[in-house]
Amino acid sequence: MRSSHIRFRVLLLAAIAAHSYADAQPADSSARPEPPDDWWLGFHGGSVWSSHSGVPMWEPMSGEVGADGLGYVVGLDATIRAGDYWYMAAVIDFEAWHATSAQSRDVELAMIEGVVDDTVVRRAAVIVDTEIDDATVRQTVLYGVVVLGSMETTHLAFELGPTFSLFVVGNLRRQMRLDPSESGRFANPSGLPVTNDGRTMMLFDSDIPRRVANRLGILGGLRAWHRVSAALDAWAALRYDVALTNVDEAGRWSASAVLLTVGLELDI
């Protein structure tokens, strides 16, 4: 009887020791599910200031001009907060803008002058008006690093990433008009469209000659976030899209843009 009582006490002590040892061991981390990634889906819109550099001139002029103007951007973005201070964002948006330029030039032209409509060839002061209409669908992958604040509150981040754009519209309209101080009108031996009693001549009005289909660039800038609620963020960004490729196949001009956008992000 005594030996049975001793065996029961030994088994009870062994069970208590095993239970205490199990409680003292760390839990198996491999069995725990990983914390979910912080996914946010949003939409944005804003304004675009575009700049075309190196736009080529044609006969009877030579050289190149620049053109700039305003437009708009709208799109969608998906953001993953991959760490405490950095994130990735996939962005797709539609941009459209209208760039213009007015350049004064001295060119040699056939002019009609005098009451008897004499045709003479001489140098004349003209103003060349260039208008460029662009529209692109742009895809961007941005990498952001928080430089001020925290992702849980208001913060400021620096962003950088590659862009790939598909040209939807790329039109060029160019006309030449006589300076107001000039007399006479264009002789126009080529039969180009004229207005203003022959003092304004349409040089080109169609798709950009030899325009490429795609555009590559680098987008970078600053974005400020503000936590509106547990599931909603608002943000504003100032970015610069630098062109890495040219507008036309001849490689004569490029188009870059400054974007000022605002957006909302929903936690999904």
Side-chain angles (χ1 to χ4, degrees):
M1 188 72 179
R2 182 177 178 81
S3 61
S4 297
H5 182 67
I6 293 174
R7 283 197 301 270
F8 173 77
R9 293 183 61 186
V10 170
L11 291 174
L12 179 62
L13 290 174
I16 293 173
H19 181 72
S20 300
Y21 177 79
D23 288 344
Q25 297 304 306
D28 184 6
S29 59
S30 62
R32 292 179 177 175
E34 291 294 327
D37 294 323
D38 201 358
W39 286 90
W40 294 71
L41 182 67
F43 63 92
H44 60 268
S47 61
V48 179
W49 176 81
S50 67
S51 175
H52 285 257
S53 61
V55 182
M57 304 287 282
W58 302 305
E59 293 293 339
M61 296 151 292
S62 61
E64 60 187 35
V65 297
D68 56 70
L70 294 175
Y72 66 90
V73 56
V74 292
L76 300 172
D77 51 272
T79 303
I80 176 174
R81 312 279 178 89
D84 292 336
Y85 294 99
W86 74 280
Y87 59 87
M88 295 174 57
V91 183
I92 182 168
D93 48 25
F94 176 80
E95 288 183 24
W97 61 80
H98 180 73
T100 61
S101 173
Q103 299 286 329
S104 298
R105 295 289 174 115
D106 288 326
V107 296
E108 191 171 84
L109 292 168
M111 301 289 296
I112 297 177
E113 297 181 325
V115 294
V116 294
D117 290 344
D118 292 331
T119 299
V120 297
V121 177
R122 66 173 177 85
R123 298 198 69 81
V126 299
I127 300 173
V128 181
D129 297 307
T130 299
E131 299 180 36
I132 303 171
D133 289 302
D134 282 317
T136 63
V137 175
R138 187 184 61 199
Q139 303 167 63
T140 310
V141 178
L142 286 171
Y143 300 88
V145 178
V146 176
V147 294
L148 288 175
S150 165
M151 283 189 177
E152 299 305 317
T153 58
T154 300
H155 63 275
L156 180 69
F158 172 74
E159 300 178 330
L160 188 68
T163 68
F164 174 82
S165 299
L166 174 67
F167 274 101
V168 179
V169 175
N171 295 329
L172 174 67
R173 184 175 187 268
R174 177 172 284 156
Q175 67 178 19
M176 179 173 60
R177 52 192 168 93
L178 287 172
D179 189 277
S181 62
E182 288 285 351
S183 61
R185 65 184 188 272
F186 296 118
N188 190 20
S190 301
L192 296 172
V194 293
T195 57
N196 191 25
D197 195 26
R199 292 179 58 84
T200 299
M201 180 187 301
M202 182 62 64
L203 301 178
F204 190 86
D205 187 7
S206 187
D207 289 339
I208 294 172
R210 302 178 63 188
R211 176 175 56 86
V212 300
N214 304 314
R215 172 191 178 278
L216 298 178
I218 293 290
L219 182 67
L222 296 174
R223 176 153 53 158
W225 300 74
H226 178 67
R227 177 60 54 85
V228 178
S229 66
L232 178 66
D233 274 11
W235 58 266
L238 180 63
R239 302 165 175 149
Y240 185 45
D241 187 0
V242 184
L244 298 180
T245 57
N246 293 298
V247 173
D248 65 337
E249 294 176 357
R252 290 175 293 186
W253 96 64
S254 62
S256 298
V258 176
L259 298 94
L260 178 61
T261 51
V262 294
L264 294 174
E265 298 277 350
L266 298 172
D267 188 356
I268 58 173

